[in-house]
Amino acid sequence: TQLLEQSPQFLSIQEGENLTVYCNSSSVFSSLQWYRQEPGEGPVLLVTVVTGGEVKKLKRLTFQFGDARKDSSLHITAAQTGDTGLYLCAGPSGNTGKLIFGQGTTLQVKP
Amino acid sequence: AAGVIQSPRHLIKEKRETATLKCYPIPRHDTVYWYQQGPGQDPQFLISFYEKMQSDKGSIPDRFSAQQFSDYHSELNMSSLELGDSALYFCASSLGRTGDTEAFFGQGTRLTVV
């Protein structure tokens, strides 16, 4: 059974600080996706990483896919209050496109 | 750009009633997925359809059924509702269903069973 484990589960930081969220598995994934979810809303796709060792940047967010394609990280530089939310990593399970999700990281950025 | 549309956004039903949730995928997307998200939990896969045929099935109760229609919209039918069915239900759509497929989620339907 494929599992994705995210850490930390909760993170409370001051505006301007940097942070890293980790998504780990013992299984190899063909790709991993990162979503951000606001309370009561649907997950919004931030990025998909496909190639082992790949690094993608989205403004202050940097996403990395592990060389072995078993893990990924999300790094936020100079966090802003607007970054507050639930961050979910997800990966395809099987060949039908269904996703399994990590438990999520709840990020609170205080002014 | 058009997104995944779900209706209704909120639904309150009594125990043992029936509910129907609708999902309109992004235009030209041929695959629809349904997920259930309980409070404080990550989304759990229920069922998916590819080109109007059931593609995969997860932890979906027998009381639930779903289908994808000729216009690619999908409906999730939930009968004999229980208190534990209260959750956010998300529909997602994608073009194709390979391991690199990107799924885009709707805003969800919040179902409350009282």
Side-chain angles (χ1 to χ4, degrees), chain A residues 12-39:
Chain A
S12 181
I13 61 171
Q14 294 294 137
E15 198 169 28
E17 292 183 354
N18 302 331
L19 66 116
T20 301
V21 176
Y22 299 94
C23 177
N24 296 302
S25 176
S26 58
S27 304
V28 175
F29 283 86
S30 57
S31 66
L32 280 178
Q33 299 172 10
W34 285 91
Y35 291 85
R36 179 165 166 253
Q37 185 178 22
E38 300 284 347

Side-chain angles (χ1 to χ4, degrees), chain A residues 17-90:
Chain A
E17 292 183 354
N18 302 331
L19 66 116
T20 301
V21 176
Y22 299 94
C23 177
N24 296 302
S25 176
S26 58
S27 304
V28 175
F29 283 86
S30 57
S31 66
L32 280 178
Q33 299 172 10
W34 285 91
Y35 291 85
R36 179 165 166 253
Q37 185 178 22
E38 300 284 347
E41 300 290 329
V44 176
L45 180 64
L46 296 174
V47 79
T48 299
V49 286
V50 178
T51 307
E54 181 177 11
V55 176
K56 281 191 173 179
K57 292 193 174 184
L58 189 66
K59 295 183 181 178
R60 295 174 295 100
L61 278 59
T62 301
F63 304 86
Q64 187 162 7
F65 201 11
D67 291 339
R69 290 186 288 131
K70 291 182 178 182
D71 56 87
S72 181
S73 64
L74 157 61
H75 181 81
I76 301 180
T77 304
Q80 299 177 356
T81 55
D83 295 327
T84 293
L86 176 67
Y87 290 83
L88 293 157
C89 68

Side-chain angles (χ1 to χ4, degrees), chain A residues 30-33 35 37 39-45 47-48 50 56 86 88 92-104, chain B residues 9 31 33 35 37 40-45 48 55-58 88 90 96-108 110:
Chain A
S30 57
S31 66
L32 280 178
Q33 299 172 10
Y35 291 85
Q37 185 178 22
E41 300 290 329
V44 176
L45 180 64
V47 79
T48 299
V50 178
K56 281 191 173 179
L86 176 67
L88 293 157
S93 177
N95 59 0
T96 60
K98 74 179 179 191
L99 295 172
I100 59 166
F101 285 83
Q103 313 97 309
Chain B
R9 288 295 313 275
T31 308
Y33 314 83
Y35 291 84
Q37 186 176 30
Q41 297 181 357
D42 56 280
Q44 296 294 313
F45 172 75
S48 63
S55 174
D56 202 346
K57 200 171 181 181
L88 276 166
F90 292 108
R97 49 172 186 166
T98 67
D100 302 345
T101 299
E102 293 187 329
F104 297 88
F105 283 75
Q107 290 185 297
R110 179 178 292 281

Side-chain angles (χ1 to χ4, degrees), chain B residues 54-76:
Chain B
Q54 182 178 308
S55 174
D56 202 346
K57 200 171 181 181
S59 307
I60 183 169
D62 292 339
R63 300 177 288 108
F64 294 7
S65 65
Q67 57 181 322
Q68 186 178 31
F69 295 86
S70 58
D71 64 352
Y72 293 95
H73 94 272
S74 179
E75 295 184 4
L76 177 65

